[in-house]
Structures are given as C-alpha cells and as structure tokens.
Amino acid sequence: MTQDKLQIVAMAVAAALAVGTLGLAAAWAVRRLSIAWQLVLVAVVPVLGMLAGVLVVARAMFISEHDLGALTLVAASAAVVSVLVAVVLSRAVVVWSRGLAEEVRRVGSSSPYSAGPARGPAEFRRLSEELAATHHRLKQAREREARLEEARRELVSWVSHDLRTPLAGMRAMSEALEDGMAADPARYHRQIRTEVDRMSRMVDDLFELSRIHAGVLRLAPEPVSLGDLLSEAIAAAEPVAAARTVSVGGSVDPGLEVHADPGALSRVVANLVGNAVRHTAPGGRVDVQGRAVPGGGVEISVSDACGGLAAEDLSRVFDVAWQGSAARTPEQQPSSRGAGLGLAIVAGLVEAHGGTVRVDNQPAGPDGCVPGCRFTVTLP
C-alpha cells in the first residue's frame, strides 16, 4: 500500500515539475512584457500543475473513461476560473502601476502635484505617499535654490556697488593728494584708511561666507564662558551704540558655559549685537541675554528696537546680501552699511555648531517700549 502511495506522489511530482519547468520558460520569455503576464502565469502554472498531476494519476489508476472525463472537466473548469481571476487581478495591478507611473512623472515637475487616490495594495499606497513627500522635498529644494540664486545675484550687485563707490572716492582723494589740491591732506588720509578698513572687512566676510558654503570651515570647540563672551561683545559695541545714543545691556545665568569655537561664537554674538545697534532707533535699547535651556542646551538672545520686520522678510533675514526693507530703521551713517553678509555668516556658523538661529518680531511693550526683533541662537 505504501509503495502505491509513493508511486502516486512520484507521478504527481513529475507532472508538476514538467508544468513548472514550462511555466518558468514562459515567464522568462515574457519577462520584458507587462507584469500582467507574470501574474497570469503565477496563477495558471499551479493550476495546470495540479491538473496534470491529477490526470496522470487518474490514467495510471485505470479510472473509467466516463469518470476520467468528469474529473478532467471539473479540473479544467477550475483552471479556467483561476485564469479569469488572475487576469482580473493582473489588470487591476496594471492600472495601479500605471497610476504610480503617472505620479512618478509628476514628481519634481513645476506643475501642481496631487497624489492619486489611495487604492491598491498597502505597498502601492505607501509608495504613493513617499512620492508625494519626495515631490514636496524637491519643491522645497527648488525654492531654496531659487532663493540662493537670487541672493547670489543680489550679493554680486551689492558688493559691486559697495566696492565701486569707495574705490571711486579713494581714487578722487588720491588724485587730489597727488596734485596738491587737498585742502586737508590728513583728513583725506584718514578717510582713505577708513574706506580701506571697510573694504577689508567686506572681503573678510566674503571669504568667511565662502568657507561656510564650501563646507571647509574648521571649528575648534572648547569650553567657553558665556558671560565673558557676551560682556566682550557688549563692550565692543558700546562706542558705536553711544554715538547713536543707543543703550546696550543684558544678563547671563551665572557660571554658564558652552562647548563651542570661541572665535566663531564671538563673531556670531558680535554680528548680532552690531546688527541690532545699527538698526535700533536713537534712544532705543539693545538687550542681550544668555540662559540655559532644558536638555542641556544654551540660548543666546539679542533684542533690538528696529521697529520690526514685515512678515515676508522674516524668512529672508539670513539670506546672503539681504539688507532689510523700508520697515527697518535706516542707517544714520551710510558708510557703515555692509553688504548684507553678517546674518548669513551668523546662520552658517550656528549651523556648523549644530545649533539653530531664528528671528521673531517683538510687539511694543506696555511701558512704551519700541517694537523690534529678537534673534535667538540655540546651541547644544
């Protein structure tokens, strides 16, 4: 009895292997065609393998022609139904895949993107969600690239203007000195030195910004006393603030330290304080604060009385060559105006430390305080 069963199993396996081999050959032949053919083969091959095994075993068992015909009819009917179901399912998969292909074509395009209806297997739906997220990231990247390109053009324009104007002035003054036409040569020398220093600072800023954007900035972090650093920045800004009748002050949590590059962090604070002093109206106040934040971080804030920023300008403050709008308090000394690089350098240095920087408008206080901006640097 056992030997008969083994023979039946052997014949069924042999028939299924034969059909499976033919199925693999057919799958190889249609490998470059639509996935619908593969799905149909996946459904047809098992059914035909079972049918072949049943028919081989039935003939070996000498079943009557009538019974064999009935068995064949039943198996063939099941095979036809299976094939029809496979065709319907394969057609649905093809429709879903075409929908995904259409979504892929829209990803990254400038035309409005909308994900297709959530249908099909879970994998297809997740892929559709990923395509929508990818399109959103690409859109943000294009917008960021457009802003950077606009900033580069503005930078070239501003730097060209800010270099050409003092160069023309120095050339006129040097020619006057050469011709002996200068009424006060010492004043001309001082003015030339002032313009040279300003252009030197501008070139240094450009070099620093290029190092940040090129990713070659090297930091040497060490423990830094935040109280000493902020005190030095306030002391350095006091002469300019006094000339503009602007008061500068602040406070720091006792013993607060941060692990950062001393030179880079000092430049961040100096740029923020200097920017606040330049844009604060006479009689206003610049407030510098340093405090610890939950999680071990450090927060440095610089508040001014510039009158605030327009909503559309808040996102552009740290762009290269951005110099503010008419809403900002105008400079009293045009010669002190930079090329709009200070805040861009601040953002680059803070990001190099793994921190964040943001700006918010501050409303007018109940004590008559002038509205302004608050720049906040958060370092880990």
Side-chain angles (χ1 to χ4, degrees):
M1 186 67 177
T2 303
Q3 186 176 4
D4 293 338
K5 291 181 179 179
L6 291 176
Q7 289 179 351
I8 292 173
V9 171
M11 287 187 291
V13 170
L17 286 175
V19 174
T21 302
L22 293 176
L24 289 176
W28 176 260
V30 300
R31 67 188 184 280
R32 299 185 184 278
L33 301 180
S34 172
I35 192 175
W37 293 98
Q38 305 286 342
L39 294 174
V40 170
L41 286 175
V42 167
V44 168
V45 170
V47 173
L48 292 181
M50 182 187 65
L51 178 59
V54 169
L55 293 179
V56 168
V57 172
R59 284 191 174 276
M61 295 175 64
F62 301 104
I63 296 178
S64 66
E65 290 294 332
H66 178 271
D67 293 342
L68 182 60
L71 182 60
T72 303
L73 184 60
V74 171
S77 300
V80 170
V81 172
S82 300
V83 171
L84 292 176
V85 172
V87 168
V88 173
L89 289 177
S90 64
R91 178 61 182 172
V93 171
V94 168
V95 171
W96 296 330
S97 64
R98 287 176 180 171
L100 285 176
E102 181 61 28
E103 291 185 33
V104 171
R105 280 192 291 270
R106 293 200 305 270
V107 168
S109 64
S110 57
S111 58
Y113 178 88
S114 59
R119 58 182 183 178
E123 292 79 5
F124 280 27
R125 294 196 300 272
R126 283 197 295 269
L127 181 56
S128 180
E129 294 170 358
E130 286 297 325
L131 289 174
T134 300
H135 179 82
H136 181 65
R137 289 193 294 268
L138 288 173
K139 181 181 179 181
Q140 290 180 325
R142 283 199 307 273
E143 293 174 350
R144 184 166 57 251
E145 182 180 359
R147 289 197 301 269
L148 289 174
E149 182 60 29
E150 181 183 359
R152 280 192 290 267
R153 289 196 298 267
E154 291 180 357
L155 175 62
V156 172
S157 175
W158 280 110
V159 170
S160 299
H161 175 271
D162 288 354
L163 289 178
R164 184 168 56 248
T165 301
L167 284 173
M170 286 190 294
R171 181 177 181 178
M173 286 186 287
S174 63
E175 289 175 352
L177 289 170
E178 288 177 355
D179 297 337
M181 302 295 293
D184 186 356
R187 184 175 67 85
Y188 275 38
H189 286 135
R190 289 194 300 271
Q191 186 64 28
I192 291 174
R193 176 60 183 270
T194 299
E195 296 295 345
V196 169
D197 290 342
R198 189 169 76 90
M199 288 192 294
S200 178
R201 289 193 300 271
M202 188 184 305
V203 172
D204 290 342
D205 287 346
L206 285 171
F207 179 69
E208 186 76 6
L209 196 61
S210 67
R211 292 174 61 206
I212 293 172
H213 286 173
V216 298
L217 181 67
R218 295 291 179 266
L219 300 177
E222 61 182 67
V224 178
S225 171
L226 199 60
D228 293 342
L229 188 143
L230 296 187
S231 297
E232 292 173 0
I234 292 173
E238 279 180 347
V240 178
R244 296 177 56 85
T245 63
V246 172
S247 62
V248 183
S251 63
V252 185
D253 290 349
L256 190 59
E257 286 190 345
V258 60
H259 195 69
D261 185 290
L265 187 56
S266 177
R267 183 161 195 181
V268 167
V269 177
N271 283 6
L272 290 176
V273 174
N275 179 76
V277 169
R278 286 196 304 273
H279 293 289
T280 294
R285 174 178 173 80
V286 173
D287 187 62
V288 184
Q289 299 287 333
R291 63 182 67 86
V293 296
V298 171
E299 182 181 275
I300 304 170
S301 64
V302 178
S303 303
D304 58 35
C306 67
L309 284 168
E312 60 271 13
D313 288 337
L314 286 174
S315 61
R316 297 196 59 204
V317 168
F318 300 104
D319 288 351
V320 176
W322 187 84
Q323 292 191 340
S325 63
R328 302 276 280 183
T329 303
E331 299 282 355
Q332 289 185 345
Q333 299 293 335
S335 62
S336 67
R337 188 180 66 181
L341 305 178
L343 294 180
I345 291 175
V346 167
L349 292 176
V350 171
E351 290 174 2
H353 281 86
T356 59
V357 58
R358 72 177 190 275
V359 59
D360 304 289
N361 280 330
Q362 293 190 115
D367 55 353
C369 180
V370 178
C373 295
R374 182 173 185 264
F375 289 82
T376 305
V377 174
T378 305
L379 299 172

